[in-house]
Amino acid sequence: MMFGSNTLGNGWVLPADDAAITAAAESLHGGQIVALPTETVYGLAADAHNPDAVARIYAAKGRPDFNPLIVHVPDQRSAEQVAIFNGMADQLAQAFWPGALTLVLPLRENAPVSRAVTAGLPTIAIRCPAHPVMQAVLAKSGLRLAAPSANKSGGVSPTRASHVSAGLGSAVPLILDGGACSAGLESTIVAVREDGWQILRPGPVTAHDIETVLGVAPLIARTGKIEAPGQLASHYAPSKPVRLNADTAEAHEWLIGFAGTDGNDNLSPSGNLAQAAANLFDALHKADASDARAIAVAPVPDTGIGAAINDRLARAAVR
Ligand code: TXA
Ligand code: MG
């Protein structure tokens, strides 16, 4: 199959028009992987039911195979065929889907999902994304799509098609370019249990948003055990050292500014946290590609989505 011109030097990068969406759906049916935008970050998608296709995701990312994947669905009905929803899960899906929320729920017995997707866990992470390109590919293919962020394991997530082609290159045969992601941070992951809920990864939907819908506080974080490898201390890391809460740059540093603290870049000159979230990963990719030996980042307030920004920055700073 021909996928048009190779615009960025590696990988097939196509504007996400109808022809490209059809080509993507065909590729996915054929067991291939496709990179495509969601409103959070770009994902690397494969048919969640096809073990060979799922294995291609792990191979392209260099991902340890204990790390399970999020399954993307067109709607809650499709999700209910693979996951068991209790009342809270139902309320959260009603309130936040389609959108930047992933639910970790009990896996349905004999669910049509490859075991490699859940890495053998009794639960499954499931998300109904809002991005029109992802929704179009879900509709056209009729598949449930396993999709982690489309970056090398442990690296900075991609928020533009060019980040995907630069990071994964020819390991991805087709990349749909849908422009920059509007949220810019990975989805909030919430585990819903019989006795309550718990955030496993902070994201665009805040704990406050969730508590407002459910009317109950989260369970106390369980100690020690890592449930989402996004919780590993070092993750989302650029190749260079990262120093946080910097007001000025040292000579060898690239400073990512925020609000009144200007640098080589500024996440949001006006101090808008949603804008800072949308720009964060692009800023880290740019800093990594610069001549500077190290990266410094200005302080970002911890309120609202600032908590998710600081979560990613803290992990980016651990080497
Ligand atoms: O915004 C997003 O969530 C993006 C887009 C593409 O949807 N995806 C994403 O996927 O960030 P990934 O694979 O990079 O991160 C998924 C996280 C991992 O930390 C994984 O460990 C966790 O979800 N996860 C998956 N299944 C889980 C499960 N059953 N229980 C706990 N954590 C799970
Ligand atoms: Mg990731």
Side-chain angles (χ1 to χ4, degrees), residues 38 40-43 61 63 67-70 72 102 104 121 123-125 127 147-149 185-187 189 200-201 227-231:
T38 80
T40 56
V41 299
Y42 274 70
K61 281 184 65 88
R63 185 177 187 129
N67 193 344
L69 306 174
I70 296 174
H72 297 69
T102 295
V104 170
L121 294 173
T123 53
I124 184 167
R127 170 174 176 225
S149 51
L185 290 181
E186 300 87 349
S187 61
I189 302 181
L200 301 183
R201 180 176 71 184
E227 298 193 53
Q231 297 176 292

Side-chain angles (χ1 to χ4, degrees), residues 114-274:
S114 157
R115 280 185 65 80
V117 168
T118 52
L121 294 173
T123 53
I124 184 167
I126 195 137
R127 170 174 176 225
C128 173
H131 198 288
V133 172
M134 181 51 135
Q135 275 291 345
V137 172
L138 287 165
K140 192 93 199 172
S141 68
L143 300 171
R144 275 179 282 269
L145 297 175
S149 51
N151 52 276
K152 282 278 181 197
S153 187
V156 179
S157 292
T159 54
R160 295 167 188 267
S162 58
H163 300 158
V164 180
S165 56
L168 294 176
S170 57
V172 186
L174 175 59
I175 300 171
L176 297 188
D177 187 348
C181 302
S182 58
L185 290 181
E186 300 87 349
S187 61
T188 305
I189 302 181
V190 176
V192 180
R193 313 186 197 283
E194 275 170 39
D195 54 341
W197 62 279
Q198 182 189 358
I199 290 195
L200 301 183
R201 180 176 71 184
V205 176
T206 65
H208 180 261
D209 296 335
I210 293 170
E211 196 167 331
T212 302
V213 166
L214 296 180
V216 284
L219 299 168
I220 309 295
R222 302 179 184 207
T223 45
K225 187 162 159 259
I226 289 172
E227 298 193 53
Q231 297 176 292
L232 292 171
S234 175
H235 205 77
Y236 317 107
S239 63
K240 299 171 181 174
V242 176
R243 183 169 68 88
L244 303 181
N245 297 316
D247 291 318
T248 55
E250 310 280 331
H252 63 288
E253 286 177 335
W254 174 280
L255 177 61
I256 298 174
F258 175 78
T261 306
D262 257 324
N264 302 75
D265 203 351
N266 194 320
L267 294 173
S268 172
S270 68
N272 178 311
L273 287 170

Side-chain angles (χ1 to χ4, degrees), residues 61-85:
K61 281 184 65 88
R63 185 177 187 129
D65 60 12
F66 60 78
N67 193 344
L69 306 174
I70 296 174
V71 173
H72 297 69
V73 291
D75 50 35
Q76 189 178 342
R77 231 191 76 193
S78 172
E80 285 181 359
Q81 286 163 8
V82 294
I84 299 168
F85 282 65

Side-chain angles (χ1 to χ4, degrees), residues 4-26:
S5 65
N6 182 349
T7 49
L8 293 177
N10 40 30
W12 295 98
V13 185
L14 292 186
D17 57 15
D18 287 351
I21 285 163
T22 302
E26 283 174 12

